[in-house]
Amino acid sequence: MYSYSDFDESFVRARVAQFSDQVGRRLDGSLTEDEFRPLRLMNGLYLQLHAYMLRVAIPYGTLNPRQMRQLALIADTWDKGYGHFTTRQNIQFNWPKLPDVPAILSALADVEMHAIQTSGNTVRNVTADHFAGAAADEIEDPRPYAELLRQWSTDHPEFQFLPRKFKIAVTGSPNDRAVTKAHDIGLRMTRNDAGEPGFEVMVGGGLGRTPMIAFTVRDSLPVADLLPYVEAVLSVYNVLGRRDNKYKARIKITVHETGRDEISRMIEERFLETRPQFGGADQALLDDIRAAFAPPAFRNAPTDGYDAFYKSDPIFRAWADTNLAQHRNAQYAIVTISVKAHGATPGDATSAQMRVMADLAEKYGHNDLRISHEQNVILPHVHKSDLPAVHAALSQAGLGTANVGLLSDIIACPGMDYCALATARSIPVAQEIALRFEELRLEHDVGPLKIKISGCINACGHHHVGHIGILGLDRAGVENYQITLGGDGTETAAIGEKTGPGFAYDEIVPAIERIIRAYLEIRENPAETFLQTYRRTGFAPFKSALYGAEGGRDAA
C-alpha cells in the first residue's frame, strides 16, 4: 500500500496543529459554534444527536494491521471501545469529546491517517472495489488510480468550496463492486478493441432525495487521461452547479438541468484545455504510486488440507460458501469478515475485534485489510491452507458469521440512534430483521439478497439500490418505513421501485417477511435469486403480498 512521503507527513501534521489551535479557540470562547462549524467539518468532525462524531478517512478502503490497531487504541482511549465502518469505507467514532480531538488526530497521523475531507463541499474519500488487487475478474488494480485521485484532490485550491460534496468511486473490474453508477463520478475499467485498459467514465449518479443512475460520458478513456478528464468534469460542475439551493446542488441535478448532450460537450471542451496542463507530471507520479501497490509475495503451497477440511466440517463449509471469493491466485482466497452477527449493529466492530483482524492480517493476510462499502472487513490475500485457522480465530471473536451477501448482511446507517439528520431508526430495524430470519432458519434458502436501510432521505444506507430498500421517515411525529424493490448497485444498476404506503415500526419486519415468503413461492427454482425473480415477474406479486389482493391500503 501507499506510504506517506515527507510532504504527506508534514501536510497532515500541519493540519493537526492548525485544527488543534481552532479547537482551543472554540473551547476558550474565541470562536462561536457558527464560526467553528466550517472549520471542524473540514476536519471530519460532526456534531451529532448526542455528541461529536469524528469520521476518519480510509482511502479506497485500504489499511494495514498497524493502522487497524491504532483505530482500536483510539476507540479504547477516547471513545466507547468500538468504531463504525461506513458505506464510504471510512470509520466513525461516535463519542469523542471536543478537547480530545486534537490528540485523536495526532494519533491518526502517527500511522499515516487523517480525517481531512471526510466532510464539507469537497471531493470526499475516493472509494474503490474492496477486492482490488486480488479479484480474479480484475483487469487492473484500481488503487493506484484512486491514490492518484486522492493526492490530486486533497486541498485542491479550485475544489475546496464546490456547490456540494462530491464522491468518486473506481473499480478495476467489469463486475462493479464499488457502486460506481451511484456516484458523482464513477470509473469502471474496461478494455478497448486493441485490448488496452481504459475507464468507462460515468457522471451524475447519486442517491438522496433525488436518486439517479450516472450516464456514460466516455466508453473507454485512456488511463493516461484520467486526471485531466476528472478535473474537466469537476471544473464544469464547479461553474454550473447551483449554490442557491443545497437540495439542487449535486452534479446529478446539474446534469438534469443542463442536459446530457450539453454537459458532455462542455466536459470535452474543458478537457482539451486541462489535458496539456499536466505535461506528464501526473504519469510520473502514477508510476511511483504503482510501485507501492506491487502484489505481495504469494506463497506456493499445497491446498489439500483446505479441501479436506471443507468436506469434513459443515460449519466451516457454510462459512466458506458465503464468505470466500475467488482470488486471482488459485491457491488463495479473498475472505470477507462479516461485521454483521445476527442482532449486532451493522458495521460496528469492537476494539478487541479490530485487534483480532489486525493479527490475522499480519499472520495470514500479507498485512493487508480492506473496508467494504457494505460495512464489512476484507482479508484480500489468504492462502487456502490457512483458512481453517482464520475461521477458528474469527469465530472465537464473534466474527465468524456465515452470512456475507445474504439477508442479514444488511447495510444500515446509524439512523436516529446517533444522527441529528435522521427521521427514523435504522439499527433496530436491521437487528430485528436479522434475528427474525435467523429464527425462521430461512436465510440460506433465500440465498443472495441485499437489504439496505436508511434513516432519512439522505440515503446513507444506499436503500435506493437495495434489492429490498427501507427508508425511515417521520410522518406526523411517528416513524414510518417506505419499501422499495428491485434496486441494484452493480454494473446493471437500477433504482428501486416504491411499493406504496409505508409501514409503522412494528409492521416493517412482518412486511419484509411477506416479501421474502412471496419470493420463495414464485421463484422458478432455488438458483433464481430474488433480484432475478423480481425482474422476471415484476412488481405485482410482491405488492399483493404486501398489501393484499386489492394491492393497496390507506396511507400510513
Side-chain angles (χ1 to χ4, degrees):
M1 61 183 291
Y2 178 79
S3 295
Y4 275 13
S5 66
D6 291 342
F7 174 84
D8 297 319
E9 174 73 18
S10 61
F11 173 82
V12 171
R13 293 291 182 184
R15 282 294 292 266
V16 172
Q18 180 190 65
F19 188 57
S20 298
D21 178 65
Q22 293 164 352
V23 169
R25 286 187 285 140
R26 175 69 189 106
L27 291 171
D28 69 18
S30 301
L31 289 174
T32 66
E33 174 54 34
D34 285 345
E35 291 169 331
F36 183 57
R37 184 177 183 271
L39 303 176
R40 63 172 168 80
L41 289 177
M42 289 173 66
N43 292 279
L45 187 64
Y46 290 73
L47 185 57
Q48 295 284 71
L49 197 60
H50 307 293
Y52 284 102
M53 177 271 282
L54 181 67
R55 180 180 294 149
V56 177
I58 303 176
Y60 37 90
T62 294
L63 71 168
N64 60 38
R66 181 170 173 247
Q67 291 170 327
M68 182 69 95
R69 291 192 185 102
Q70 192 78 335
L71 296 176
L73 174 69
I74 290 168
D76 282 339
T77 307
W78 294 292
D79 207 276
K80 294 189 176 183
Y82 72 96
H84 176 75
F85 295 114
T86 78
T87 54
R88 289 214 64 71
Q89 299 178 306
N90 295 316
I91 187 170
Q92 294 180 177
F93 293 105
N94 289 317
W95 301 100
K97 294 179 173 61
L98 182 58
D100 295 331
V101 173
I104 297 173
L105 295 177
S106 182
L108 290 169
D110 289 342
V111 293
E112 302 184 358
M113 298 184 77
H114 60 75
I116 299 165
Q117 292 184 205
T118 59
S119 182
N121 294 336
T122 62
V123 177
R124 298 288 186 89
N125 187 41
V126 178
T127 58
D129 182 355
H130 42 274
F131 293 169
D137 61 351
E138 188 173 78
I139 295 171
E140 191 178 325
D141 188 342
R143 291 176 302 157
Y145 300 100
E147 174 60 26
L148 181 68
L149 288 164
R150 183 196 71 81
Q151 293 191 29
W152 162 83
S153 63
T154 300
D155 238 19
H156 192 299
E158 187 180 347
F159 305 132
Q160 288 304 294
F161 299 97
L162 293 166
R164 198 72 171 87
K165 59 186 175 181
F166 202 91
K167 300 176 179 180
I168 301 174
V170 56
T171 177
S173 167
N175 299 303
D176 186 0
R177 288 178 290 267
V179 204
T180 57
K181 291 190 175 184
H183 280 75
D184 298 293
I185 294 178
L187 302 165
R188 188 164 68 107
M189 188 159 275
T190 59
R191 289 193 186 277
N192 62 19
D193 293 340
E196 300 164 331
F199 282 107
E200 178 188 5
V201 182
M202 295 160 282
V203 171
L207 303 179
R209 66 181 60 241
T210 312
M212 294 185 184
I213 297 299
F215 79 102
T216 300
V217 290
R218 276 290 191 104
D219 290 319
S220 188
L221 179 78
V223 294
D225 290 337
L226 177 62
L227 217 53
Y229 200 87
V230 169
E231 179 155 319
V233 175
L234 267 159
S235 297
V236 169
Y237 166 59
N238 202 22
V239 171
L240 293 182
R242 294 181 59 171
R243 288 177 166 88
D244 62 322
N245 185 335
K246 72 175 184 178
Y247 302 115
K248 296 182 178 182
R250 297 291 296 270
I251 194 173
K252 61 188 177 183
I253 304 299
T254 304
V255 169
H256 176 72
E257 293 182 342
T258 307
R260 293 184 179 187
D261 290 345
E262 176 61 12
I263 206 163
S264 297
R265 184 196 66 77
M266 295 177 73
I267 290 168
E268 293 295 332
E269 186 177 89
R270 178 63 178 148
F271 172 59
L272 293 177
E273 298 171 348
T274 59
R275 188 180 187 184
Q277 295 173 8
F278 284 83
D282 56 323
Q283 294 309 296
L285 177 58
L286 181 59
D287 287 341
D288 290 341
I289 291 171
R290 279 198 181 102
F293 291 94
F298 292 123
R299 192 167 93 244
N300 184 15
T303 61
D304 299 352
Y306 161 78
D307 297 330
F309 205 84
Y310 179 88
K311 292 176 182 177
S312 65
D313 188 316
I315 295 175
F316 175 79
R317 183 164 61 250
W319 175 80
D321 286 345
T322 55
N323 292 40
L324 301 185
Q326 187 178 1
H327 195 281
R328 64 194 319 153
N329 184 319
Q331 294 183 1
Y332 277 70
I334 302 169
V335 177
T336 299
I337 302 170
S338 173
V339 193
K340 312 275 185 70
H342 297 92
T345 299
D348 277 11
T350 67
S351 57
Q353 290 174 328
M354 291 183 208
R355 291 186 179 98
V356 167
M357 292 187 283
D359 291 346
L360 291 174
E362 199 166 66
K363 187 173 183 179
Y364 301 112
H366 295 277
N367 296 303
D368 200 348
L369 291 147
R370 310 287 173 79
I371 310 304
S372 76
H373 78 272
E374 296 179 321
Q375 300 175 290
N376 288 318
V377 180
I378 318 297
L379 298 173
H381 311 291
V382 179
H383 195 274
K384 288 181 177 178
S385 64
D386 293 326
L387 289 170
V390 169
H391 175 251
L394 291 173
S395 298
Q396 190 172 4
L399 294 167
T401 307
N403 68 340
V404 171
L406 300 182
L407 191 151
S408 63
D409 185 13
I410 298 171
I411 288 180
C413 72
M416 212 160 57
D417 287 294
Y418 297 98
C419 183
L421 301 176
T423 50
R425 289 169 290 175
S426 298
I427 293 169
V429 174
Q431 291 169 323
E432 290 179 25
I433 291 172
L435 289 171
R436 175 57 177 159
F437 282 92
E438 182 188 33
E439 177 188 2
L440 294 172
R441 296 291 187 266
L442 281 176
E443 186 169 26
H444 286 267
D445 188 23
V446 171
L449 177 64
K450 296 188 182 296
I451 297 179
K452 307 186 180 189
I453 306 173
S454 299
C456 81
I457 198 70
N458 290 312
C460 294
H462 291 189
H463 68 275
H464 292 296
V465 291
H467 301 163
I468 299 176
I470 303 172
L471 168 62
L473 298 169
D474 181 315
R475 296 284 191 240
V478 177
E479 289 170 294
N480 184 265
Y481 293 87
Q482 185 181 86
I483 297 174
T484 55
L485 298 177
D488 178 14
T490 71
E491 63 280 1
T492 56
I495 300 297
E497 182 178 3
K498 295 178 185 177
T499 60
F503 296 86
Y505 178 83
D506 59 357
E507 297 175 328
I508 187 61
V509 177
I512 299 302
E513 184 176 338
R514 293 198 297 277
I515 292 171
I516 299 302
R517 291 192 182 278
Y519 156 66
L520 292 174
E521 288 177 8
I522 64 177
R523 66 183 180 183
E524 288 189 327
N525 56 67
E528 185 179 57
T529 67
F530 178 90
L531 187 58
Q532 289 168 340
T533 298
Y534 181 83
R535 287 176 170 173
R536 174 177 58 83
T537 66
F539 182 51
F542 296 99
K543 186 172 183 178
S544 178
L546 273 175
Y547 301 113
E550 295 181 1
R553 63 181 177 87
D554 293 337

